[in-house]
Amino acid sequence: MPGTMRRAVNPVASRALLFGREWLRAPRAVGAVAPSSRALARAITDGLSNADAPVLELGPGTGVFTRALLARGIAVNRIAAIEANARFAAALAGALPGLQVIAGDAARLRRLTPFGPASAGTVICGLPLLTIPKPKILRIVAGGFAALRPGGAFRLFTYGPTCPVPGTLLGRLGLVAQRTAFIAGNIPPASVYVLRRSEDGL
Ligand SMILES: C[S@@+](CC[C@H](N)C(=O)[O-])C[C@H]1O[C@@H](n2cnc3c(N)ncnc32)[C@H](O)[C@@H]1O
């Protein structure tokens, strides 16, 4: 309409708004009031390149880690994102054409992965592991490693003081964990951990 000004929509603000709304609906399932910071996204994707693809992303939310993966040069069609929240999944699929967005539960990873078993190079886990019961964490991490090829790594973040995958589960799955970054400026402050098979070393 002539003379009508269209208000520019800031995509970062609108993603933050969507995130906050979904947190209000389901605080435990969403697990954070706001998307992770770009500093945390850079830390969890540190050093990755197309050689580490295909990448399976668990719990992408509004896609801050997905965008960091793309910025690292990983091709969009080499990333598959599994998201339980249907609104996040739809928004992400609309925003990043070519991305494989799977609306579903990461605990069903073995059935959902679009890549064959033992083929992914990296799992990026954005799930709220502190609110997920231990048996389900076991299914998620075991499913991630079934999808990973030898040498592949499972990267995750946490707001807690230790790795959110308990040592007993790591031992049972033959994994080792290493804290690789602490992002004080994230709200709340967060650590990044990398899990690998013991035989691959740290
Ligand atoms: C703490 S938010 C992190 C979102 C995003 N990775 C970020 O860092 O901004 C956790 C995300 O995991 C999703 N989620 C929670 N449980 C899930 C599950 N079982 N399977 C897949 N996604 C899940 C939530 O809907 C939410 O998008």
Side-chain angles (χ1 to χ4, degrees):
M1 207 206 273
T4 304
M5 295 270 287
R6 289 193 105 203
R7 188 178 294 193
V9 181
N10 174 336
V12 176
S14 76
R15 289 198 288 271
L17 201 66
L18 170 63
F19 204 102
R21 272 204 310 263
E22 293 310 305
W23 175 76
L24 282 173
R25 279 186 220 270
R28 276 181 72 79
V30 173
V33 271
S36 296
S37 62
R38 283 201 286 177
L40 177 54
R42 278 194 298 274
I44 203 167
T45 59
D46 188 35
L48 293 178
S49 72
N50 226 358
D52 303 292
V55 178
L56 272 171
E57 186 182 355
L58 313 180
T62 48
V64 62
F65 295 167
T66 325
R67 287 178 177 82
L69 289 167
L70 297 173
R72 299 267 177 208
I74 297 173
V76 71
N77 60 3
R78 304 271 286 152
I79 305 172
I82 303 178
E83 172 54 61
N85 179 301
R87 289 183 191 85
F88 285 155
L92 197 58
L96 298 175
L99 180 73
Q100 302 189 60
V101 181
I102 298 154
D105 182 351
R108 298 185 59 244
L109 189 57
R110 284 173 197 266
R111 285 163 187 264
L112 294 179
T113 178
F115 311 121
S119 63
T122 310
V123 174
I124 297 284
C125 178
L127 300 171
L129 291 172
L130 292 177
T131 69
I132 296 179
K134 227 165 142 181
K136 188 162 173 175
I137 293 184
L138 174 64
R139 287 206 301 280
I140 291 166
V141 178
F145 275 90
L148 283 168
R149 60 184 180 243
F154 186 112
R155 296 175 174 216
L156 60 89
F157 80 96
T158 183
Y159 306 130
T162 56
C163 180
V165 181
T168 46
L169 292 193
L170 293 174
R172 198 163 144 189
L173 296 171
L175 305 175
V176 283
Q178 182 185 27
R179 187 162 88 146
T180 56
F182 176 66
I183 310 299
N186 194 72
I187 303 173
S191 297
V192 174
Y193 285 84
V194 178
L195 313 187
R196 294 185 188 281
R197 296 180 178 97
S198 316
E199 68 258 26
D200 292 335
L202 284 174

